Amino acid sequence: MKNDNILILGNGYLANRVKEENGWEICADKINGYDDLENIFKKHKPEVIVCAIGFTGRPNTDNCEQNIEKTISSNTFIPVYLAELSFRHPEVHIISIASGCIFNDSDKAYTEEDIGNYEGLFYSRSKIYAEEILKYPVRLGRKISICRIRIPIDYIPSPRNVLDKLINYKTILDIPNSITYVPTLCRGLDFIVKHNVYGVINLVNEGTIRYPKLLDEYKKYVPDFQYKITDLKTIGVKRTNLELVPSVKLKKLGFKNENINDLIPIIVKKYMEEMKTNKLSL
Ligand SMILES: NC(=O)c1ccc[n+]([C@@H]2O[C@H](COP(=O)([O-])OP(=O)(O)OC[C@H]3O[C@@H](n4cnc5c(N)ncnc54)[C@H](OP(=O)(O)O)[C@@H]3O)[C@@H](O)[C@H]2O)c1
């Protein structure tokens, strides 16, 4: 498939990283109702739509509680319009960048069959509604891929990269979590397009990350860097911590998924090189 048959919706962090890595075009038009989406579709005639629209809150998901309307319109209504598009134009392949933050329990690893069950944050609720809405057309044979990702980590410095966030927080949690390396996400999206993979896809790396391990790697480059470990009770906020079973659908088709713990030294090394090359400081 030619790159110009694939259209990314949204113009934020992940939309732009997918554009950079995969060479797909972005459409940044605002979508306030189904007709806006239909107009974009008629104008660009894409074979594949990658939806990277959403509202994650600023500086974090707590902010979604104060912005219920924005959260539900970006995170739930847009997927409703995508579902409608799939009924009106069954030929189009729709890929939704979704979230694994619909669970919150470290007692089990969640599979692609599990249904989101964490309602403690409105962000999570809005994503559960979205996922359930998109699953219906999938059951009816529509070409929709629901890519659950978690905690983007990247070698390119960015305020949205968890590595930047942790270095700045200096006080961190030590709970195992599934995580998505942004280049793995981009490769995964390309694989999904090429292999026509539909339904729920846990697009996370193999293994779970513990933040101290990541910061200890960073300390190898910045020996005087100090951090402290805390717990959720002490910081008094709601956060999701969970493990997803990396996509079985992709694995069966031969997708090579790296273990995040093998990637940590590579990510931090490349990240430090980027910082140096671009003369960045945190
Ligand atoms: N980053 C993460 O930690 C993370 C983790 C898991 C899942 N995700 C999901 O991945 C997706 C992309 O996240 P991101 O980090 O790239 O977020 P982002 O940087 O905030 O980008 C979101 C984009 O969506 C756009 N948008 C929101 N409502 C829109 C609408 N009605 N019509 C058109 N565009 C609209 C925003 O435009 P405006 O800014 O102009 O509103 C922005 O360009 C989201 O669904 C998010 O929930 C992200």
Side-chain angles (χ1 to χ4, degrees):
M1 183 177 303
K2 289 200 310 211
N3 274 355
D4 53 6
N5 291 335
I6 305 171
L7 188 67
I8 304 168
L9 304 181
N11 193 20
Y13 173 54
L14 292 175
N16 280 283
R17 285 294 288 121
V18 174
K19 177 185 172 181
E20 279 164 21
E21 295 274 332
N22 290 10
W24 301 341
E25 279 314 306
I26 279 181
C27 169
D29 295 359
K30 270 268 167 287
I31 301 174
N32 295 314
Y34 176 74
D35 289 348
D36 294 337
L37 180 61
E38 176 78 30
N39 289 337
I40 290 170
F41 181 71
K42 283 187 179 145
K43 185 173 161 198
H44 297 271
K45 299 184 181 63
E47 285 176 53
V48 180
I49 288 176
V50 179
C51 181
I53 289 175
F55 181 65
T56 54
R58 294 287 187 279
N60 54 48
T61 49
D62 294 338
N63 177 245
C64 293
E65 313 294 322
Q66 281 85 53
N67 287 290
I68 299 290
E69 203 181 318
K70 172 80 181 153
T71 307
I72 206 156
S73 68
S74 301
N75 293 352
T76 308
F77 291 173
I78 297 288
V80 172
Y81 309 146
L82 293 172
E84 182 165 357
L85 191 81
S86 79
F87 286 120
R88 292 179 186 248
H89 302 281
E91 72 283 7
V92 65
H93 180 180
I94 296 167
I95 302 178
S96 170
I97 300 187
S99 177
C101 295
I102 55 175
F103 305 105
N104 179 27
D105 181 354
S106 21
D107 290 345
K108 70 168 274 190
Y110 290 94
T111 69
E112 291 167 331
E113 282 70 45
D114 283 319
I115 297 173
N117 61 8
Y118 179 64
E119 298 195 336
L121 286 166
F122 193 73
Y123 175 76
S124 305
R125 271 176 187 258
S126 70
K127 292 290 185 184
I128 294 172
Y129 303 151
E131 194 175 295
E132 293 309 305
I133 283 159
L134 288 172
K135 277 178 183 170
Y136 262 88
V138 176
R139 281 178 206 142
L140 299 175
R142 298 304 187 272
K143 302 194 286 185
I144 298 180
S145 319
I146 305 159
C147 298
R148 291 176 183 158
I149 66 157
R150 283 219 74 221
I151 317 177
I153 183 166
D154 202 356
Y155 68 92
I156 297 180
S158 158
R160 311 300 303 284
N161 179 354
V162 70
L163 184 50
D164 292 62
K165 289 186 186 180
L166 294 173
I167 293 167
N168 282 309
Y169 290 161
K170 295 189 175 69
T171 302
I172 59 162
L173 296 168
D174 184 13
I175 305 172
N177 264 298
S178 287
I179 191 162
T180 304
Y181 180 42
V182 174
T184 308
L185 162 68
C186 298
R187 261 194 327 106
L189 294 174
D190 190 53
F191 188 94
I192 289 162
V193 170
K194 291 191 171 124
H195 291 80
N196 302 311
V197 194
Y198 310 127
V200 174
I201 297 160
N202 284 350
L203 202 34
V204 292
N205 287 88
E206 295 283 345
T208 52
I209 198 163
R210 297 192 88 113
Y211 294 152
K213 186 165 175 181
L214 186 58
L215 290 186
D216 287 343
E217 190 65 33
Y218 178 71
K219 262 176 89 69
K220 290 182 187 166
Y221 297 86
V222 186
D224 58 356
F225 176 77
Q226 300 290 335
Y227 69 88
K228 276 191 206 146
I229 295 172
T230 186
D231 55 38
L232 276 171
K233 213 171 159 191
T234 310
I235 51 175
V237 294
K238 289 181 184 168
R239 287 290 174 274
T240 55
N241 289 286
L242 62 118
E243 184 177 351
L244 294 179
V245 177
S247 179
V248 173
K249 290 188 182 85
L250 296 190
K251 195 173 183 176
K252 277 185 187 157
L253 291 166
F255 181 67
K256 295 211 173 4
N257 190 355
E258 312 97 325
N259 188 302
I260 194 61
N261 291 292
D262 297 337
L263 284 176
I264 286 176
I266 300 162
I267 296 171
V268 177
K269 182 169 184 278
K270 283 179 87 173
Y271 177 90
M272 297 310 292
E273 284 164 5
E274 287 282 327
M275 294 286 286
K276 209 168 148 190
T277 310
N278 297 307
K279 297 192 172 56
L280 297 172
S281 62
L282 284 160

